[in-house]
Amino acid sequence: SSTNISSRYYQGQRNAIRKSRESAVMVRSTALSFFGATSTSSGTYFIARGRPYVVTVQHGIHGPCWLVRIHTAEGVYECKEIVAMDEINDYAIIELTTPLQGRIPMKVPQDLPRGPQGHRAYSLLNKIIYTGYPNVIGPLTLRGDVVGYTPDEQIYIFSHAYGGASGS
């Protein structure tokens, strides 16, 4: 249950864990060129400009939009459009045909730490919480540590790596 969170975390951390679990989805993409091979990755459901989206990893998207599906415990949802694919930064943004039932979207940018709070949240060796579907099970919530940055302020995280957790 998303609400059964260890009491050893302070309220702000518990809220982050809850938001992570409530917005996590599984992304499946089928490739045309590999005779129907399917990749599985994780993603985060969010709303922007009133429309439903999922952000995930670019390396997990192998087929066109009509062969991408978003899976939750409540159902399977279709891709309306792949609005961004960035191979260098390894992300994809997928617009959905309908909002997801049973998932609570992240609100961009309200749910993201910004300013001094963001500077503290992403400090070196600070804990990071993320939720995904490694090995096609989950959602599983994991933690890691911020260990560095790129010159353009992308975050390096040290944590466990399992197939299917990409995009968490």
Side-chain angles (χ1 to χ4, degrees), residues 76-113:
V76 179
Y77 298 85
E78 295 181 4
C79 170
K80 178 178 180 181
E81 178 183 5
I82 298 174
V83 297
M85 290 277 282
D86 188 318
E87 185 174 347
I88 293 171
N89 295 301
D90 195 21
Y91 71 85
I93 299 176
I94 301 164
E95 184 175 356
L96 306 174
T97 57
T98 61
L100 304 181
Q101 300 299 310
R103 301 280 84 196
I104 298 175
M106 296 291 264
K107 296 178 185 96
V108 177
Q110 296 95 328
D111 285 335
L112 301 176

Side-chain angles (χ1 to χ4, degrees), residues 4-150:
N4 186 17
I5 300 169
S6 173
S7 60
R8 76 177 202 184
Y9 294 101
Y10 68 85
Q11 191 58 45
Q13 291 171 315
R14 292 165 59 116
N15 287 340
I17 293 166
R18 181 185 47 76
K19 286 179 183 181
S20 176
R21 290 189 65 80
E22 291 172 343
S23 63
V25 299
M26 184 187 311
V27 180
R28 289 207 169 164
S29 175
T30 302
L32 289 173
S33 59
F34 295 109
F35 304 107
T38 300
S39 70
T40 301
S41 56
S42 299
T44 300
Y45 174 48
F46 71 98
I47 298 288
R49 293 186 220 113
R51 298 191 313 227
Y53 296 91
V54 167
V55 62
T56 188
V57 288
Q58 180 273 335
H59 72 260
I61 305 299
H62 298 295
C65 183
W66 61 275
L67 290 175
V68 174
R69 295 290 182 266
I70 306 303
H71 294 253
T72 70
E74 293 76 25
V76 179
Y77 298 85
E78 295 181 4
C79 170
K80 178 178 180 181
E81 178 183 5
I82 298 174
V83 297
M85 290 277 282
D86 188 318
E87 185 174 347
I88 293 171
N89 295 301
D90 195 21
Y91 71 85
I93 299 176
I94 301 164
E95 184 175 356
L96 306 174
T97 57
T98 61
L100 304 181
Q101 300 299 310
R103 301 280 84 196
I104 298 175
M106 296 291 264
K107 296 178 185 96
V108 177
Q110 296 95 328
D111 285 335
L112 301 176
R114 298 168 55 140
Q117 180 189 11
H119 186 72
R120 285 189 307 276
Y122 303 123
S123 299
L124 288 174
L125 297 179
N126 200 14
K127 300 292 182 200
I128 295 290
I129 302 292
Y130 59 99
T131 302
Y133 292 82
N135 300 321
V136 196
I137 59 171
L140 301 181
T141 301
L142 303 162
R143 62 180 172 214
D145 298 297
V146 175
V147 295
Y149 308 93
T150 65

